[in-house]
Amino acid sequence: MLVACVPAYGICANLPDLDDYRGGHLSEFAVAIGYSLTAAGVAVLLGRLVVTRRELARHMTELRAAQEHQRELHAQTVLARERAHLAREMHDVVSHQVSLIAVRAGALQVSADSTDTKEAARTIRTLSAATLDELRQMVAVLRAPGSRDAGLAPQPALNLLDDLIADSGLDVTLTGEVPRDASPAVERAAFRTVQEALTNVRKHAPGSTVVVDFRRPGPARDVTVTNTTARHPALGLPSARHGLLGLRERAEHLGGALSHGPTPDGGYRLHLQLPRSGRAADGRRGAERPGVTVGHGRGVRRARA
């Protein structure tokens, strides 16, 4: 269509001047038509060049999007393969070992003569069963087909803090006000912080006393776990400090901060500060529980402030 318009334009543009070229000047008329055809052709070519350039840019954008999509699919495939491999290893190794611990603890609970030994065996068996349950949930999440919404539910919250302290086997004092108006993410971070701190105390400072303190400095939520110096030799358990690294990453993800270090009296202090909502308030409100709780070994005694 555009090719046919070029000669039509050349003729129509010079047709009114045809009388001026009569009498032997038709060659000049042909030259004028040639100039007109050239101008029209250049305009058409420039227009086609612009259109072609736009189409090429659009195709390049689509090609880049397709390549990015292919890279994402490849990355998801590799990630799914690694997650499946990790799930298999967790199930085959950890599940076997923890199951063996639970079975041995159950046998010890039945055969032991001492009441303390029976209670210790019962605690070990209970913790092993809880660990297996959480392990099954983690394996299910790892085997989920790449869904970011694959939940880790049920996740622990601060309403399970008393049970955590009672099962710790440590002399733990809980002070301050345990928050009940924080978001689930903040509650999970606070619970995991106390859990990791108690685990580290059992490993590195056996026999020490522990204070878990909750504070509300303004809109923030502070959790501080402090233990005294060890009274017994430390257990020779492996440690790569991954727990503290995970707590720091969790705190930073929620807009908070984590600090830890030795105290002047030879103990250790772990401090977590988080915003009340953890960047994602869910609007949940509830009453806060005042008081002081002392947890030691087999139970929790509560003293009202």
Side-chain angles (χ1 to χ4, degrees):
M1 178 64 71
L2 292 177
V3 176
C5 291
V6 172
Y9 169 79
I11 295 174
C12 294
N14 295 277
L15 191 60
D17 301 328
L18 182 60
D19 294 338
D20 297 338
Y21 296 108
R22 294 183 184 277
H25 299 289
L26 292 178
S27 60
E28 297 179 2
F29 179 70
V31 172
I33 291 179
Y35 280 125
S36 299
L37 292 176
T38 302
V42 170
V44 169
L45 290 177
L46 288 177
R48 288 302 305 169
L49 179 62
V50 172
V51 172
T52 303
R53 184 177 181 276
R54 291 177 179 176
E55 292 179 351
L56 181 61
R58 179 172 57 83
H59 289 315
M60 289 297 296
T61 302
E62 294 176 352
L63 180 60
R64 284 193 294 267
Q67 291 176 343
E68 183 65 24
H69 181 63
Q70 289 290 347
R71 283 194 292 268
E72 291 179 358
L73 290 178
H74 178 70
Q76 291 177 3
T77 302
V78 174
L79 180 59
R81 187 161 54 244
E82 291 298 325
R83 285 160 60 105
H85 175 72
L86 180 59
R88 288 193 302 271
E89 291 298 320
M90 288 180 62
H91 180 271
D92 295 343
V93 178
V94 182
S95 178
H96 171 74
Q97 300 292 344
V98 177
S99 298
L100 184 60
I101 292 173
V103 171
R104 293 294 182 89
L108 179 61
Q109 183 181 359
V110 173
S111 61
D113 297 329
S114 171
T115 303
D116 292 339
T117 303
K118 287 181 177 290
E119 186 63 23
R122 184 198 64 81
T123 301
I124 294 173
R125 185 177 182 182
T126 301
L127 293 177
S128 299
T131 301
L132 284 173
D133 186 51
E134 292 188 1
L135 176 62
R136 283 192 293 268
Q137 296 175 17
M138 289 299 301
V139 170
V141 170
L142 289 173
R143 288 191 175 277
S147 175
R148 294 183 179 180
D149 297 327
L152 297 176
Q155 282 289 284
L158 292 177
N159 61 329
L160 301 177
L161 196 60
D162 290 343
D163 295 336
L164 176 66
I165 292 175
D167 294 334
S168 67
L170 299 171
D171 185 3
V172 182
T173 302
L174 178 63
T175 64
E177 298 179 349
V178 179
R180 288 291 181 262
D181 61 347
S183 69
V186 170
E187 286 203 21
R188 285 195 299 272
F191 182 90
R192 293 302 189 190
T193 298
V194 177
Q195 184 182 50
E196 178 66 21
L198 296 182
T199 300
N200 288 338
V201 171
R202 285 196 299 267
K203 290 166 54 177
H204 305 295
S208 64
T209 59
V210 185
V211 176
V212 180
D213 183 48
F214 284 83
R215 286 288 180 265
R216 299 182 58 178
R221 294 291 185 272
D222 279 14
V223 183
T224 305
V225 183
T226 307
N227 64 274
T228 60
T229 184
R231 296 179 181 176
H232 306 295
L235 301 176
L237 297 176
S239 176
R241 303 180 68 89
H242 289 164
L244 292 176
L245 178 61
L247 292 180
R248 184 182 301 277
E249 292 173 348
R250 188 189 295 268
E252 292 175 352
H253 178 70
L254 295 175
L258 181 79
S259 60
H260 54 88
T263 59
D265 60 354
Y268 205 82
R269 177 178 179 270
L270 178 66
H271 175 70
L272 172 71
Q273 184 176 65
L274 292 174
R276 177 170 137 181
S277 61
R279 292 179 178 172
D282 61 350
R284 188 178 67 175
R285 294 294 180 266
E288 292 198 345
R289 182 182 59 184
V292 177
T293 303
V294 178
H296 182 70
R298 297 162 56 182
V300 175
R301 294 185 293 106
R302 183 175 305 285
R304 293 293 180 184

